[in-house]
């Protein structure tokens, strides 16, 4: 594929559609792109699949009456896209040039020119950077209460963070868990007034202030956490069955800085549905959506971005072919 990209450039081949990213947003755009005859070329990234690759069982994606593992769901989406004709390339995009047209997308394999580009590079949840957190990810450690809260019916859970996400997750988890302890590094919440009030008034939620989680305890599953009071330095152990890390997200927008507009939080800015600030460059999924962040909403976004991209390409091609 590397040589092919270089060859395409040398031969002046212009792709109709390049998709950057291979989570539910990118792969849904690819599936719809094949059906629209746009012959999509997908740069999946070397670590393809996005956040679903770190998820265990998914129970809320329609069409799967039995739970499906996150990586299996991605494999199915990939197979579907490939069967329909999408070209999936496991390369990272290192640079883009949207100031020229056709657009240019650079990977280790060379430069690809494209009439339209869909950006679906996602976002990564911030981590506590503990070895034990990564070891028990999907085994009691989670970044998504909506996805995993159901598995903690009648169990004790902790949530780390003091922002809107942490308050939303904590409140949501009280539907299932017997108790929810919010561990926050300060004694003041960053969350908006309404979400803060709701959490503070919920009798199932208690707060552990000025504290940080220093270790997740457990072998095959979470059995507890070690928590350090940052003011006194005293460490204690807390028995919990689940730990939800809700300390924010980092959108994967680094390579787009200076090329398309970002919002003040660093996410890609969109207008009129899925348009970026550059006509012909469309956006789908968590790279712009910090609010819903679900596999299904990302997939729906991928579909919308493709429909917008399809219209754009059609107009471009029609403009080149004069009507008789
Ligand atoms: P956020 O606002 O950045 O809050 C992150 C929280 O995690 C903060 O309380 C921060 O502590 C804490 N934190 C950060 N790094 C940490 C670390 N290494 N260890 C321990 N704690 C750490 O992130 P968010 O809550 O995900 O929200 C992101 C954006 O989405 C916000 O603009 C938010 O308003 C928006 N959002 C809106 C809604 C809604 O409207 N319904 C829902 C969710 C999110 P400090 O406070 O000490 O910095």
């Amino acid at each position: 594929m590397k040589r092919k990209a270089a060859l395409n450039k040398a031969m002046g081949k212009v792709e109709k559609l390049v998709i950057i990213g291979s989570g539910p947003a990118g792969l849904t755009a690819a599936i719809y792109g094949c059906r629209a005859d746009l012959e999509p070329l997908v740069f999946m990234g070397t670590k393809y699949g996005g956040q679903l690759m770190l998820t265990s069982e998914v129970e809320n994606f329609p069409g799967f009456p039995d739970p499906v593992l996150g990586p299996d769901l991605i494999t199915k989406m990939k197979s579907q896209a490939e069967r329909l004709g999408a070209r999936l390339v496991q390369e990272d995009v290192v640079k883009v040039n949207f100031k020229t047209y056709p657009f240019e997308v650079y990977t280790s394999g060379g430069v690809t020119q494209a009439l339209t580009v869909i950006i679906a590079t996602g976002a990564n949840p911030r981590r506590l950077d503990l070895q034990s957190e990564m070891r028990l990810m999907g085994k009691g450690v989670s970044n998504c209460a909506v996805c995993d809260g159901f598995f903690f019916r009648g169990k004790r859970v902790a949530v780390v963070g003091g922002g809107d996400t942490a308050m939303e997750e904590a409140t949501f988890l009280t539907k299932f868990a017997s108790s929810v302890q919010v561990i926050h590094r300060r004694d003041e919440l960053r969350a908006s007034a309404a979400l803060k009030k709701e959490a503070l008034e919920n009798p199932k939620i208690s707060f552990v202030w000025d504290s940080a989680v220093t270790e997740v305890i457990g072998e095959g599953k979470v059995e507890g956490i070690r928590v350090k009071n940052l003011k006194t330095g005293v460490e204690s152990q807390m028995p919990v069955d689940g730990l939800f890390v809700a300390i924010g997200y980092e959108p994967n927008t680094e390579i787009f800085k200076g090329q398309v507009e970002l919002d003040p939080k660093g996410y890609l800015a969109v207008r009129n549905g899925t348009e970026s600030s550059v006509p012909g460059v469309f956006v789908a999924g968590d790279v712009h959506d910090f609010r819903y962040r679900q596999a299904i909403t990302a997939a729906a976004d991928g579909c919308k971005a493709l429909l917008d991209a399809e219209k754009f390409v059609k107009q471009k091609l029609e403009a080149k072919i004069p009507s008789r």
Side-chain angles (χ1 to χ4, degrees):
M1 255 318 166
K2 281 184 188 180
R3 287 188 54 222
K4 195 169 174 197
L7 204 64
N8 283 345
K9 161 92 172 160
M11 290 168 63
K13 172 165 183 195
V14 178
E15 298 289 341
K16 285 187 243 177
L17 168 65
V18 163
I19 297 169
I20 310 174
S22 56
L27 292 174
T28 304
I31 290 164
Y32 274 75
C34 295
R35 306 264 303 163
D37 223 10
L38 291 181
E39 301 164 355
L41 175 63
V42 184
F43 289 118
M44 297 199 298
T46 44
K47 285 191 236 153
Y48 68 87
Q51 292 180 56
L52 276 182
M53 299 302 278
L54 300 172
T55 309
S56 53
E57 291 188 341
V58 179
E59 284 201 323
N60 55 5
F61 202 89
F64 294 88
D66 296 319
V68 55
L69 293 174
D72 289 350
L73 187 52
I74 286 295
T75 303
K76 283 179 195 294
M77 290 182 192
K78 264 179 65 195
S79 309
Q80 190 177 356
E82 270 176 325
R83 181 179 62 78
L84 290 167
R87 290 159 297 152
L88 309 181
V89 184
Q90 206 172 333
E91 284 174 10
D92 292 321
V93 171
V94 291
K95 190 174 116 178
V96 293
N97 185 358
F98 296 153
K99 292 179 178 161
T100 184
Y101 196 81
F103 303 124
E104 290 177 345
V105 178
Y106 294 74
T107 70
S108 53
V111 191
T112 302
Q113 292 183 300
L115 293 185
T116 183
V117 172
I118 293 178
I119 302 174
T121 47
N124 293 325
R126 279 192 207 122
R127 311 264 179 224
L128 296 170
D129 279 339
L130 302 173
Q131 228 187 349
S132 50
E133 173 196 17
M134 290 319 292
R135 183 168 51 79
L136 292 165
M137 185 59 68
K139 296 170 185 155
V141 178
S142 168
N143 299 106
C144 178
V146 173
C147 320
D148 299 329
F150 185 74
F151 302 115
F152 293 90
R153 195 177 285 282
K155 302 206 166 153
R156 301 156 300 185
V157 300
V159 174
V160 189
D164 282 339
T165 303
M167 294 311 104
E168 260 188 356
E169 303 245 310
T171 303
F172 180 83
L173 285 165
T174 59
K175 285 199 228 174
F176 308 101
S178 57
S179 67
V180 178
Q181 310 214 48
V182 173
I183 295 148
H184 183 35
R185 63 184 178 184
R186 295 187 293 135
D187 61 359
E188 201 183 325
L189 297 171
R190 174 183 296 277
S192 58
L195 292 174
K196 187 156 64 178
K197 184 169 182 285
E198 199 180 353
L200 286 167
E201 288 176 357
N202 191 314
K204 271 196 181 176
I205 302 177
S206 55
F207 287 81
V208 181
W209 303 110
D210 299 313
S211 296
V213 174
T214 54
E215 194 190 340
V216 192
I217 302 161
E219 282 308 315
K221 63 180 171 66
V222 172
E223 285 162 16
I225 48 175
R226 197 178 296 284
V227 176
K228 183 178 185 178
N229 184 301
L230 299 171
K231 284 199 169 150
T232 63
V234 173
E235 280 206 62
S236 56
Q237 211 162 301
M238 229 181 243
V240 292
D241 307 293
L243 177 70
F244 288 80
V245 181
I247 59 174
Y249 285 76
E250 298 291 346
N252 296 318
T253 51
E254 197 53 40
I255 53 169
F256 306 113
K257 284 180 182 161
Q259 295 288 330
V260 278
E261 192 186 324
L262 306 188
D263 73 12
K265 297 185 220 292
Y267 288 78
L268 289 188
V270 293
R271 58 200 74 188
N272 294 329
T274 68
E275 284 174 17
S276 74
S277 57
V278 177
V281 176
F282 299 90
V283 179
D286 291 12
V287 70
H288 85 89
D289 172 22
F290 53 78
R291 185 157 177 194
Y292 297 107
R293 292 195 295 243
Q294 300 301 303
I296 191 72
T297 52
D301 247 16
C303 165
K304 289 193 265 181
L306 186 282
L307 296 178
D308 291 341
E310 185 186 4
K311 252 187 220 156
F312 179 87
V313 172
K314 191 164 177 275
Q315 279 164 6
K316 278 282 164 200
L317 293 177
E318 277 172 2
K320 277 206 171 159
I321 305 164
S323 53
R324 293 178 193 196

